[in-house]
PDB file of all heavy atoms in Angstrom:
ATOM      1  N   ALA A 162     -17.584   4.646  10.596  1.00  0.00           N
ATOM      2  CA  ALA A 162     -17.333   4.627   9.124  1.00  0.00           C
ATOM      3  C   ALA A 162     -18.291   3.730   8.358  1.00  0.00           C
ATOM      4  O   ALA A 162     -18.589   2.650   8.857  1.00  0.00           O
ATOM      5  CB  ALA A 162     -15.931   4.239   8.822  1.00  0.00           C
ATOM      6  N   LYS A 163     -18.769   4.151   7.215  1.00  0.00           N
ATOM      7  CA  LYS A 163     -19.730   3.378   6.427  1.00  0.00           C
ATOM      8  C   LYS A 163     -19.141   1.992   6.059  1.00  0.00           C
ATOM      9  O   LYS A 163     -19.820   0.994   5.861  1.00  0.00           O
ATOM     10  CB  LYS A 163     -20.160   4.139   5.211  1.00  0.00           C
ATOM     11  CG  LYS A 163     -20.989   5.352   5.457  1.00  0.00           C
ATOM     12  CD  LYS A 163     -21.405   6.085   4.206  1.00  0.00           C
ATOM     13  CE  LYS A 163     -22.238   7.290   4.524  1.00  0.00           C
ATOM     14  NZ  LYS A 163     -22.634   8.037   3.262  1.00  0.00           N
ATOM     15  N   SER A 164     -17.765   1.971   5.831  1.00  0.00           N
ATOM     16  CA  SER A 164     -17.140   0.752   5.416  1.00  0.00           C
ATOM     17  C   SER A 164     -17.334  -0.373   6.394  1.00  0.00           C
ATOM     18  O   SER A 164     -17.210  -1.529   6.051  1.00  0.00           O
ATOM     19  CB  SER A 164     -15.629   0.989   5.146  1.00  0.00           C
ATOM     20  OG  SER A 164     -15.013   1.469   6.361  1.00  0.00           O
ATOM     21  N   ARG A 165     -17.636  -0.108   7.676  1.00  0.00           N
ATOM     22  CA  ARG A 165     -17.858  -1.185   8.639  1.00  0.00           C
ATOM     23  C   ARG A 165     -19.043  -2.052   8.276  1.00  0.00           C
ATOM     24  O   ARG A 165     -19.046  -3.220   8.601  1.00  0.00           O
ATOM     25  CB  ARG A 165     -17.999  -0.585  10.052  1.00  0.00           C
ATOM     26  CG  ARG A 165     -16.726  -0.288  10.729  1.00  0.00           C
ATOM     27  CD  ARG A 165     -16.860   0.359  12.093  1.00  0.00           C
ATOM     28  NE  ARG A 165     -17.596  -0.455  13.062  1.00  0.00           N
ATOM     29  CZ  ARG A 165     -17.091  -1.321  13.876  1.00  0.00           C
ATOM     30  NH1 ARG A 165     -15.749  -1.518  13.905  1.00  0.00           N
ATOM     31  NH2 ARG A 165     -17.840  -2.008  14.755  1.00  0.00           N
ATOM     32  N   SER A 166     -20.053  -1.372   7.627  1.00  0.00           N
ATOM     33  CA  SER A 166     -21.195  -2.171   7.287  1.00  0.00           C
ATOM     34  C   SER A 166     -20.900  -3.308   6.214  1.00  0.00           C
ATOM     35  O   SER A 166     -21.548  -4.342   6.188  1.00  0.00           O
ATOM     36  CB  SER A 166     -22.262  -1.252   6.667  1.00  0.00           C
ATOM     37  OG  SER A 166     -21.811  -0.679   5.510  1.00  0.00           O
ATOM     38  N   LEU A 167     -19.825  -3.044   5.408  1.00  0.00           N
ATOM     39  CA  LEU A 167     -19.395  -4.016   4.410  1.00  0.00           C
ATOM     40  C   LEU A 167     -18.719  -5.206   5.122  1.00  0.00           C
ATOM     41  O   LEU A 167     -18.551  -6.285   4.537  1.00  0.00           O
ATOM     42  CB  LEU A 167     -18.434  -3.376   3.446  1.00  0.00           C
ATOM     43  CG  LEU A 167     -18.971  -2.194   2.656  1.00  0.00           C
ATOM     44  CD1 LEU A 167     -17.888  -1.631   1.771  1.00  0.00           C
ATOM     45  CD2 LEU A 167     -20.153  -2.595   1.831  1.00  0.00           C
ATOM     46  N   GLU A 168     -18.303  -5.045   6.381  1.00  0.00           N
ATOM     47  CA  GLU A 168     -17.737  -6.077   7.162  1.00  0.00           C
ATOM     48  C   GLU A 168     -18.728  -6.750   8.081  1.00  0.00           C
ATOM     49  O   GLU A 168     -18.323  -7.639   8.899  1.00  0.00           O
ATOM     50  CB  GLU A 168     -16.497  -5.537   7.975  1.00  0.00           C
ATOM     51  CG  GLU A 168     -15.271  -5.125   7.189  1.00  0.00           C
ATOM     52  CD  GLU A 168     -14.439  -6.324   6.817  1.00  0.00           C
ATOM     53  OE1 GLU A 168     -14.040  -7.077   7.751  1.00  0.00           O
ATOM     54  OE2 GLU A 168     -14.123  -6.520   5.619  1.00  0.00           O
ATOM     55  N   GLY A 169     -19.916  -6.295   8.017  1.00  0.00           N
ATOM     56  CA  GLY A 169     -20.964  -6.793   8.971  1.00  0.00           C
ATOM     57  C   GLY A 169     -20.806  -6.333  10.400  1.00  0.00           C
ATOM     58  O   GLY A 169     -21.192  -7.035  11.376  1.00  0.00           O
ATOM     59  N   LEU A 170     -20.217  -5.146  10.602  1.00  0.00           N
ATOM     60  CA  LEU A 170     -19.901  -4.628  11.905  1.00  0.00           C
ATOM     61  C   LEU A 170     -20.854  -3.440  12.235  1.00  0.00           C
ATOM     62  O   LEU A 170     -21.232  -2.662  11.360  1.00  0.00           O
ATOM     63  CB  LEU A 170     -18.462  -4.137  11.897  1.00  0.00           C
ATOM     64  CG  LEU A 170     -17.389  -5.205  11.698  1.00  0.00           C
ATOM     65  CD1 LEU A 170     -16.011  -4.483  11.595  1.00  0.00           C
ATOM     66  CD2 LEU A 170     -17.369  -6.184  12.844  1.00  0.00           C
ATOM     67  N   PRO A 171     -21.176  -3.327  13.508  1.00  0.00           N
ATOM     68  CA  PRO A 171     -22.085  -2.243  13.886  1.00  0.00           C
ATOM     69  C   PRO A 171     -21.362  -0.909  14.034  1.00  0.00           C
ATOM     70  O   PRO A 171     -20.115  -0.921  14.168  1.00  0.00           O
ATOM     71  CB  PRO A 171     -22.637  -2.717  15.234  1.00  0.00           C
ATOM     72  CG  PRO A 171     -21.485  -3.566  15.873  1.00  0.00           C
ATOM     73  CD  PRO A 171     -20.876  -4.200  14.624  1.00  0.00           C
ATOM     74  N   VAL A 172     -22.114   0.142  14.057  1.00  0.00           N
ATOM     75  CA  VAL A 172     -21.527   1.517  14.326  1.00  0.00           C
ATOM     76  C   VAL A 172     -21.409   1.666  15.782  1.00  0.00           C
ATOM     77  O   VAL A 172     -22.308   1.349  16.573  1.00  0.00           O
ATOM     78  CB  VAL A 172     -22.446   2.607  13.748  1.00  0.00           C
ATOM     79  CG1 VAL A 172     -22.055   3.978  14.181  1.00  0.00           C
ATOM     80  CG2 VAL A 172     -22.424   2.469  12.180  1.00  0.00           C
ATOM     81  N   MET A 173     -20.297   2.211  16.230  1.00  0.00           N
ATOM     82  CA  MET A 173     -20.113   2.499  17.636  1.00  0.00           C
ATOM     83  C   MET A 173     -19.063   3.594  17.867  1.00  0.00           C
ATOM     84  O   MET A 173     -18.102   3.660  17.043  1.00  0.00           O
ATOM     85  CB  MET A 173     -19.704   1.276  18.452  1.00  0.00           C
ATOM     86  CG  MET A 173     -18.375   0.651  18.069  1.00  0.00           C
ATOM     87  SD  MET A 173     -17.962  -0.785  19.046  1.00  0.00           S
ATOM     88  CE  MET A 173     -19.194  -1.953  18.614  1.00  0.00           C
ATOM     89  N   THR A 174     -19.264   4.488  18.807  1.00  0.00           N
ATOM     90  CA  THR A 174     -18.277   5.481  19.174  1.00  0.00           C
ATOM     91  C   THR A 174     -18.195   5.599  20.632  1.00  0.00           C
ATOM     92  O   THR A 174     -19.100   5.188  21.337  1.00  0.00           O
ATOM     93  CB  THR A 174     -18.658   6.849  18.545  1.00  0.00           C
ATOM     94  OG1 THR A 174     -19.916   7.263  19.112  1.00  0.00           O
ATOM     95  CG2 THR A 174     -18.741   6.815  17.010  1.00  0.00           C
ATOM     96  N   GLY A 175     -17.061   6.200  21.141  1.00  0.00           N
ATOM     97  CA  GLY A 175     -16.971   6.438  22.558  1.00  0.00           C
ATOM     98  C   GLY A 175     -15.609   6.078  23.096  1.00  0.00           C
ATOM     99  O   GLY A 175     -14.750   5.488  22.293  1.00  0.00           O
ATOM    100  N   PHE A 176     -15.347   6.361  24.298  1.00  0.00           N
ATOM    101  CA  PHE A 176     -13.968   6.107  24.899  1.00  0.00           C
ATOM    102  C   PHE A 176     -13.828   4.576  25.104  1.00  0.00           C
ATOM    103  O   PHE A 176     -14.671   3.949  25.718  1.00  0.00           O
ATOM    104  CB  PHE A 176     -13.798   6.831  26.212  1.00  0.00           C
ATOM    105  CG  PHE A 176     -13.481   8.341  25.974  1.00  0.00           C
ATOM    106  CD1 PHE A 176     -14.459   9.307  26.071  1.00  0.00           C
ATOM    107  CD2 PHE A 176     -12.105   8.661  25.722  1.00  0.00           C
ATOM    108  CE1 PHE A 176     -14.090  10.621  25.838  1.00  0.00           C
ATOM    109  CE2 PHE A 176     -11.787   9.953  25.533  1.00  0.00           C
ATOM    110  CZ  PHE A 176     -12.764  10.979  25.593  1.00  0.00           C
ATOM    111  N   LEU A 177     -12.648   4.079  24.706  1.00  0.00           N
ATOM    112  CA  LEU A 177     -12.236   2.741  25.003  1.00  0.00           C
ATOM    113  C   LEU A 177     -11.255   2.712  26.156  1.00  0.00           C
ATOM    114  O   LEU A 177     -11.199   1.739  26.883  1.00  0.00           O
ATOM    115  CB  LEU A 177     -11.608   2.117  23.769  1.00  0.00           C
ATOM    116  CG  LEU A 177     -11.358   0.624  23.728  1.00  0.00           C
ATOM    117  CD1 LEU A 177     -12.657  -0.221  23.886  1.00  0.00           C
ATOM    118  CD2 LEU A 177     -10.630   0.169  22.465  1.00  0.00           C
ATOM    119  N   ARG A 178     -10.527   3.760  26.298  1.00  0.00           N
ATOM    120  CA  ARG A 178      -9.541   3.952  27.444  1.00  0.00           C
ATOM    121  C   ARG A 178      -9.686   5.410  27.921  1.00  0.00           C
ATOM    122  O   ARG A 178      -9.638   6.313  27.088  1.00  0.00           O
ATOM    123  CB  ARG A 178      -8.110   3.687  27.009  1.00  0.00           C
ATOM    124  CG  ARG A 178      -7.751   2.261  26.730  1.00  0.00           C
ATOM    125  CD  ARG A 178      -7.586   1.502  28.015  1.00  0.00           C
ATOM    126  NE  ARG A 178      -7.096   0.133  27.774  1.00  0.00           N
ATOM    127  CZ  ARG A 178      -7.835  -0.843  27.352  1.00  0.00           C
ATOM    128  NH1 ARG A 178      -9.135  -0.675  27.050  1.00  0.00           N
ATOM    129  NH2 ARG A 178      -7.332  -2.114  27.161  1.00  0.00           N
ATOM    130  N   GLY A 179      -9.833   5.612  29.200  1.00  0.00           N
ATOM    131  CA  GLY A 179      -9.898   6.922  29.704  1.00  0.00           C
ATOM    132  C   GLY A 179     -11.131   7.678  29.448  1.00  0.00           C
ATOM    133  O   GLY A 179     -12.143   7.045  28.999  1.00  0.00           O
ATOM    134  N   GLU A 180     -11.192   8.943  29.635  1.00  0.00           N
ATOM    135  CA  GLU A 180     -12.337   9.781  29.373  1.00  0.00           C
ATOM    136  C   GLU A 180     -11.877  11.271  29.255  1.00  0.00           C
ATOM    137  O   GLU A 180     -10.664  11.582  29.427  1.00  0.00           O
ATOM    138  CB  GLU A 180     -13.409   9.643  30.471  1.00  0.00           C
ATOM    139  CG  GLU A 180     -12.848   9.989  31.867  1.00  0.00           C
ATOM    140  CD  GLU A 180     -13.896   9.721  32.959  1.00  0.00           C
ATOM    141  OE1 GLU A 180     -14.854   9.022  32.685  1.00  0.00           O
ATOM    142  OE2 GLU A 180     -13.695  10.322  34.048  1.00  0.00           O
ATOM    143  N   GLY A 181     -12.803  12.187  29.012  1.00  0.00           N
ATOM    144  CA  GLY A 181     -12.447  13.589  28.984  1.00  0.00           C
ATOM    145  C   GLY A 181     -13.103  14.270  27.819  1.00  0.00           C
ATOM    146  O   GLY A 181     -14.028  13.693  27.135  1.00  0.00           O
ATOM    147  N   PRO A 182     -12.750  15.534  27.584  1.00  0.00           N
ATOM    148  CA  PRO A 182     -13.376  16.299  26.476  1.00  0.00           C
ATOM    149  C   PRO A 182     -13.040  15.661  25.125  1.00  0.00           C
ATOM    150  O   PRO A 182     -12.015  15.075  24.924  1.00  0.00           O
ATOM    151  CB  PRO A 182     -12.840  17.731  26.631  1.00  0.00           C
ATOM    152  CG  PRO A 182     -11.539  17.489  27.315  1.00  0.00           C
ATOM    153  CD  PRO A 182     -11.739  16.334  28.261  1.00  0.00           C
ATOM    154  N   THR A 183     -13.994  15.881  24.175  1.00  0.00           N
ATOM    155  CA  THR A 183     -13.724  15.351  22.839  1.00  0.00           C
ATOM    156  C   THR A 183     -13.423  16.439  21.816  1.00  0.00           C
ATOM    157  O   THR A 183     -13.237  16.146  20.632  1.00  0.00           O
ATOM    158  CB  THR A 183     -15.023  14.572  22.319  1.00  0.00           C
ATOM    159  OG1 THR A 183     -16.115  15.460  22.382  1.00  0.00           O
ATOM    160  CG2 THR A 183     -15.233  13.354  23.135  1.00  0.00           C
ATOM    161  N   THR A 184     -13.293  17.680  22.274  1.00  0.00           N
ATOM    162  CA  THR A 184     -12.713  18.686  21.435  1.00  0.00           C
ATOM    163  C   THR A 184     -11.301  19.088  21.947  1.00  0.00           C
ATOM    164  O   THR A 184     -11.193  19.420  23.150  1.00  0.00           O
ATOM    165  CB  THR A 184     -13.619  20.010  21.442  1.00  0.00           C
ATOM    166  OG1 THR A 184     -14.896  19.626  20.846  1.00  0.00           O
ATOM    167  CG2 THR A 184     -12.992  21.084  20.621  1.00  0.00           C
ATOM    168  N   LEU A 185     -10.348  18.988  21.126  1.00  0.00           N
ATOM    169  CA  LEU A 185      -8.931  19.151  21.498  1.00  0.00           C
ATOM    170  C   LEU A 185      -8.275  20.256  20.696  1.00  0.00           C
ATOM    171  O   LEU A 185      -8.625  20.426  19.502  1.00  0.00           O
ATOM    172  CB  LEU A 185      -8.174  17.789  21.302  1.00  0.00           C
ATOM    173  CG  LEU A 185      -8.793  16.602  21.798  1.00  0.00           C
ATOM    174  CD1 LEU A 185      -8.084  15.322  21.308  1.00  0.00           C
ATOM    175  CD2 LEU A 185      -8.911  16.552  23.350  1.00  0.00           C
ATOM    176  N   GLU A 186      -7.295  20.889  21.282  1.00  0.00           N
ATOM    177  CA  GLU A 186      -6.502  21.832  20.530  1.00  0.00           C
ATOM    178  C   GLU A 186      -5.244  21.202  20.056  1.00  0.00           C
ATOM    179  O   GLU A 186      -4.541  20.523  20.803  1.00  0.00           O
ATOM    180  CB  GLU A 186      -6.199  23.060  21.356  1.00  0.00           C
ATOM    181  CG  GLU A 186      -5.418  24.165  20.595  1.00  0.00           C
ATOM    182  CD  GLU A 186      -5.176  25.412  21.432  1.00  0.00           C
ATOM    183  OE1 GLU A 186      -6.084  25.906  22.094  1.00  0.00           O
ATOM    184  OE2 GLU A 186      -4.052  25.945  21.325  1.00  0.00           O
ATOM    185  N   VAL A 187      -4.961  21.325  18.732  1.00  0.00           N
ATOM    186  CA  VAL A 187      -3.697  20.781  18.194  1.00  0.00           C
ATOM    187  C   VAL A 187      -2.923  21.913  17.431  1.00  0.00           C
ATOM    188  O   VAL A 187      -3.462  23.053  17.282  1.00  0.00           O
ATOM    189  CB  VAL A 187      -4.002  19.682  17.164  1.00  0.00           C
ATOM    190  CG1 VAL A 187      -4.811  18.519  17.837  1.00  0.00           C
ATOM    191  CG2 VAL A 187      -4.769  20.233  15.945  1.00  0.00           C
ATOM    192  N   TYR A 188      -1.719  21.610  17.118  1.00  0.00           N
ATOM    193  CA  TYR A 188      -0.936  22.614  16.392  1.00  0.00           C
ATOM    194  C   TYR A 188      -0.223  21.981  15.178  1.00  0.00           C
ATOM    195  O   TYR A 188       0.119  20.807  15.162  1.00  0.00           O
ATOM    196  CB  TYR A 188       0.143  23.253  17.360  1.00  0.00           C
ATOM    197  CG  TYR A 188       1.195  22.295  17.846  1.00  0.00           C
ATOM    198  CD1 TYR A 188       2.402  22.111  17.168  1.00  0.00           C
ATOM    199  CD2 TYR A 188       1.054  21.630  19.075  1.00  0.00           C
ATOM    200  CE1 TYR A 188       3.366  21.250  17.604  1.00  0.00           C
ATOM    201  CE2 TYR A 188       2.025  20.775  19.545  1.00  0.00           C
ATOM    202  CZ  TYR A 188       3.167  20.623  18.818  1.00  0.00           C
ATOM    203  OH  TYR A 188       4.143  19.766  19.270  1.00  0.00           O
ATOM    204  N   GLU A 189      -0.050  22.789  14.140  1.00  0.00           N
ATOM    205  CA  GLU A 189       0.729  22.480  12.980  1.00  0.00           C
ATOM    206  C   GLU A 189       1.669  23.682  12.729  1.00  0.00           C
ATOM    207  O   GLU A 189       1.158  24.780  12.305  1.00  0.00           O
ATOM    208  CB  GLU A 189      -0.184  22.314  11.749  1.00  0.00           C
ATOM    209  CG  GLU A 189      -0.964  21.079  11.752  1.00  0.00           C
ATOM    210  CD  GLU A 189      -1.798  20.911  10.453  1.00  0.00           C
ATOM    211  OE1 GLU A 189      -1.720  21.816   9.590  1.00  0.00           O
ATOM    212  OE2 GLU A 189      -2.521  19.907  10.341  1.00  0.00           O
ATOM    213  N   GLY A 190       2.930  23.528  13.047  1.00  0.00           N
ATOM    214  CA  GLY A 190       3.815  24.669  12.981  1.00  0.00           C
ATOM    215  C   GLY A 190       3.330  25.708  13.943  1.00  0.00           C
ATOM    216  O   GLY A 190       3.072  25.404  15.170  1.00  0.00           O
ATOM    217  N   THR A 191       3.159  26.954  13.513  1.00  0.00           N
ATOM    218  CA  THR A 191       2.658  28.019  14.425  1.00  0.00           C
ATOM    219  C   THR A 191       1.163  28.064  14.554  1.00  0.00           C
ATOM    220  O   THR A 191       0.622  28.837  15.285  1.00  0.00           O
ATOM    221  CB  THR A 191       3.190  29.369  13.949  1.00  0.00           C
ATOM    222  OG1 THR A 191       2.704  29.631  12.635  1.00  0.00           O
ATOM    223  CG2 THR A 191       4.720  29.416  13.952  1.00  0.00           C
ATOM    224  N   ALA A 192       0.410  27.320  13.712  1.00  0.00           N
ATOM    225  CA  ALA A 192      -1.026  27.358  13.659  1.00  0.00           C
ATOM    226  C   ALA A 192      -1.595  26.538  14.794  1.00  0.00           C
ATOM    227  O   ALA A 192      -1.073  25.439  15.120  1.00  0.00           O
ATOM    228  CB  ALA A 192      -1.529  26.900  12.327  1.00  0.00           C
ATOM    229  N   ARG A 193      -2.762  26.946  15.217  1.00  0.00           N
ATOM    230  CA  ARG A 193      -3.544  26.208  16.238  1.00  0.00           C
ATOM    231  C   ARG A 193      -4.893  25.911  15.704  1.00  0.00           C
ATOM    232  O   ARG A 193      -5.548  26.757  15.118  1.00  0.00           O
ATOM    233  CB  ARG A 193      -3.618  27.016  17.566  1.00  0.00           C
ATOM    234  CG  ARG A 193      -2.331  27.336  18.220  1.00  0.00           C
ATOM    235  CD  ARG A 193      -1.628  26.071  18.747  1.00  0.00           C
ATOM    236  NE  ARG A 193      -0.382  26.354  19.470  1.00  0.00           N
ATOM    237  CZ  ARG A 193       0.801  26.378  18.902  1.00  0.00           C
ATOM    238  NH1 ARG A 193       0.925  26.266  17.607  1.00  0.00           N
ATOM    239  NH2 ARG A 193       1.842  26.652  19.693  1.00  0.00           N
ATOM    240  N   PHE A 194      -5.350  24.668  15.937  1.00  0.00           N
ATOM    241  CA  PHE A 194      -6.673  24.256  15.387  1.00  0.00           C
ATOM    242  C   PHE A 194      -7.426  23.476  16.518  1.00  0.00           C
ATOM    243  O   PHE A 194      -6.770  22.898  17.446  1.00  0.00           O
ATOM    244  CB  PHE A 194      -6.531  23.402  14.205  1.00  0.00           C
ATOM    245  CG  PHE A 194      -5.870  24.130  13.012  1.00  0.00           C
ATOM    246  CD1 PHE A 194      -4.534  23.800  12.686  1.00  0.00           C
ATOM    247  CD2 PHE A 194      -6.531  25.042  12.291  1.00  0.00           C
ATOM    248  CE1 PHE A 194      -3.878  24.451  11.656  1.00  0.00           C
ATOM    249  CE2 PHE A 194      -5.892  25.670  11.215  1.00  0.00           C
ATOM    250  CZ  PHE A 194      -4.578  25.370  10.872  1.00  0.00           C
ATOM    251  N   LEU A 195      -8.746  23.423  16.336  1.00  0.00           N
ATOM    252  CA  LEU A 195      -9.642  22.672  17.204  1.00  0.00           C
ATOM    253  C   LEU A 195     -10.054  21.404  16.493  1.00  0.00           C
ATOM    254  O   LEU A 195     -10.525  21.487  15.363  1.00  0.00           O
ATOM    255  CB  LEU A 195     -10.771  23.471  17.690  1.00  0.00           C
ATOM    256  CG  LEU A 195     -10.436  24.761  18.517  1.00  0.00           C
ATOM    257  CD1 LEU A 195     -11.666  25.539  18.784  1.00  0.00           C
ATOM    258  CD2 LEU A 195      -9.781  24.345  19.835  1.00  0.00           C
ATOM    259  N   VAL A 196      -9.972  20.286  17.125  1.00  0.00           N
ATOM    260  CA  VAL A 196     -10.316  18.973  16.539  1.00  0.00           C
ATOM    261  C   VAL A 196     -11.474  18.402  17.366  1.00  0.00           C
ATOM    262  O   VAL A 196     -11.314  18.184  18.604  1.00  0.00           O
ATOM    263  CB  VAL A 196      -9.098  17.984  16.478  1.00  0.00           C
ATOM    264  CG1 VAL A 196      -9.585  16.623  15.966  1.00  0.00           C
ATOM    265  CG2 VAL A 196      -8.046  18.555  15.577  1.00  0.00           C
ATOM    266  N   ASP A 197     -12.580  18.077  16.731  1.00  0.00           N
ATOM    267  CA  ASP A 197     -13.661  17.439  17.387  1.00  0.00           C
ATOM    268  C   ASP A 197     -13.643  15.948  16.969  1.00  0.00           C
ATOM    269  O   ASP A 197     -14.014  15.564  15.904  1.00  0.00           O
ATOM    270  CB  ASP A 197     -15.020  18.074  16.848  1.00  0.00           C
ATOM    271  CG  ASP A 197     -16.224  17.500  17.568  1.00  0.00           C
ATOM    272  OD1 ASP A 197     -16.112  16.452  18.249  1.00  0.00           O
ATOM    273  OD2 ASP A 197     -17.351  18.048  17.414  1.00  0.00           O
ATOM    274  N   ILE A 198     -13.051  15.196  17.881  1.00  0.00           N
ATOM    275  CA  ILE A 198     -12.852  13.745  17.616  1.00  0.00           C
ATOM    276  C   ILE A 198     -14.105  12.917  17.579  1.00  0.00           C
ATOM    277  O   ILE A 198     -14.194  11.836  16.991  1.00  0.00           O
ATOM    278  CB  ILE A 198     -11.875  13.117  18.591  1.00  0.00           C
ATOM    279  CG1 ILE A 198     -12.404  13.136  19.991  1.00  0.00           C
ATOM    280  CG2 ILE A 198     -10.460  13.795  18.491  1.00  0.00           C
ATOM    281  CD1 ILE A 198     -11.637  12.283  20.997  1.00  0.00           C
ATOM    282  N   ALA A 199     -15.208  13.470  18.159  1.00  0.00           N
ATOM    283  CA  ALA A 199     -16.460  12.742  18.149  1.00  0.00           C
ATOM    284  C   ALA A 199     -17.298  12.993  16.973  1.00  0.00           C
ATOM    285  O   ALA A 199     -18.043  12.071  16.488  1.00  0.00           O
ATOM    286  CB  ALA A 199     -17.255  13.153  19.435  1.00  0.00           C
ATOM    287  N   ARG A 200     -17.178  14.184  16.310  1.00  0.00           N
ATOM    288  CA  ARG A 200     -18.081  14.510  15.271  1.00  0.00           C
ATOM    289  C   ARG A 200     -17.402  15.042  13.958  1.00  0.00           C
ATOM    290  O   ARG A 200     -18.010  15.162  12.934  1.00  0.00           O
ATOM    291  CB  ARG A 200     -19.010  15.637  15.741  1.00  0.00           C
ATOM    292  CG  ARG A 200     -19.910  15.209  16.886  1.00  0.00           C
ATOM    293  CD  ARG A 200     -20.767  16.346  17.420  1.00  0.00           C
ATOM    294  NE  ARG A 200     -21.759  16.797  16.432  1.00  0.00           N
ATOM    295  CZ  ARG A 200     -21.785  18.000  15.920  1.00  0.00           C
ATOM    296  NH1 ARG A 200     -20.849  18.920  16.260  1.00  0.00           N
ATOM    297  NH2 ARG A 200     -22.714  18.353  15.057  1.00  0.00           N
TER     298      ARG A 200
END
Side-chain angles (χ1 to χ4, degrees):
K163 292 181 181 178
S164 59
R165 277 176 61 91
S166 65
L167 302 177
E168 290 279 307
L170 298 171
V172 169
M173 62 176 67
T174 62
F176 280 98
L177 190 62
R178 289 283 186 283
E180 58 184 18
T183 56
T184 297
L185 313 170
E186 183 175 317
V187 301
Y188 65 89
E189 289 182 1
T191 61
R193 298 295 184 271
F194 299 105
L195 298 173
V196 174
D197 184 347
I198 62 170
R200 299 175 64 243

